[in-house]
Amino acid sequence: SDKSYQTYTYPSGGRKMRNLKEKDFRTTKGFTTDEFFGMDKFTAGCSKVLTITEGELDALSVYQMLTDLDSSRLYPVVSMPSATPAKAIWEKCKPYLDSFDKLVLSFDNDEAGNAIADKVAKLFPNKVYRVPHGKYKDANDFLTNRAQNEFKQAWYNAKKYTPDNVLNTTEQFMQLYNDTPEFQ
């Protein structure tokens, strides 16, 4: 086995390998994009909150940062299999995701991350929150820059996430009310 690769084993046994020198991925026969990395490590409903990341290394980083700061609580974290998972993931994993009260997304603030965040928010309305990454690209960037406390603060203060064209918070409805011209 090549030491420049990290291997992530998925619940069904498929494996995804990441080249540590370059952002390059390989998969083994049997790898599918219809399940989350790590969902076999945390039973459905084992916590009120589930954190979902875009990548496996980010999931491991989130788990490490939250657990290092508070080892008395369980912080389940899973990862998307890719930025463009199979449509079957939502059907197959819906009961698992439904078992948590709150889904906290730690996705990159880019086109792919925003697209998948929109998809999750539409499928699970009023249940999705998003960690603002600020100057950091992703969760692993927080960890490698020793910003665990910043991540935890951002995680605890994650705001309810909704796609741009959907309103569902009191602040959004008040803004709509206040900014709407008066019609007779």
Side-chain angles (χ1 to χ4, degrees):
S1 119
D2 189 343
K3 291 189 187 296
S4 64
Y5 279 87
Q6 264 185 349
T7 301
Y8 309 107
T9 304
Y10 274 70
S12 63
R15 292 192 174 118
K16 183 175 171 184
M17 286 81 65
R18 177 186 177 151
N19 185 323
L20 296 175
K21 294 176 183 163
E22 305 162 12
K23 194 168 184 178
D24 174 50
F25 297 95
R26 296 180 186 173
T27 58
T28 61
K29 186 177 179 183
F31 177 80
T32 63
T33 60
D34 66 350
E35 60 188 355
F36 292 98
F37 168 74
M39 67 185 280
D40 57 327
K41 306 298 182 218
F42 304 101
T43 57
C46 65
S47 173
K48 288 183 180 286
V49 181
L50 174 69
T51 303
I52 305 171
T53 66
E54 233 179 306
E56 298 85 1
L57 188 56
D58 292 323
L60 298 170
S61 297
V62 168
Y63 183 77
Q64 180 178 334
M65 287 187 287
L66 294 177
T67 303
D68 280 354
L69 296 168
D70 182 2
S71 60
S72 66
R73 287 192 50 206
L74 177 65
Y75 293 97
V77 184
V78 297
S79 167
M80 301 294 302
S82 77
T84 55
K87 287 183 180 180
I89 193 171
W90 306 115
E91 222 173 277
K92 181 177 179 181
C93 298
K94 187 173 184 341
Y96 182 78
L97 297 175
D98 279 339
S99 74
F100 298 92
D101 295 343
K102 186 175 176 181
L103 303 175
V104 177
L105 309 180
S106 181
F107 291 169
D108 298 3
N109 189 20
D110 59 13
E111 193 175 326
N114 293 336
I116 198 73
D118 285 354
K119 177 82 172 171
V120 176
K122 287 175 184 171
L123 290 169
F124 302 93
N126 294 315
K127 185 174 183 160
V128 177
Y129 293 74
R130 191 164 181 186
V131 175
H133 286 177
K135 65 182 179 182
Y136 299 104
K137 179 189 175 307
D138 54 29
N140 185 253
D141 201 21
F142 277 91
L143 183 62
T144 57
N145 284 289
R146 297 185 174 162
Q148 293 96 317
N149 286 322
E150 286 178 60
F151 181 84
K152 187 172 183 182
Q153 201 166 33
W155 185 86
Y156 273 113
N157 293 311
K159 299 275 187 244
K160 190 174 283 188
Y161 180 77
T162 56
D164 288 338
N165 61 347
V166 176
L167 305 178
N168 76 348
T169 66
T170 304
E171 293 83 20
Q172 290 170 330
F173 286 119
M174 289 306 296
Q175 183 179 0
L176 178 65
Y177 175 77
N178 292 329
D179 294 349
T180 302
E182 290 195 33
F183 295 103
Q184 299 225 351

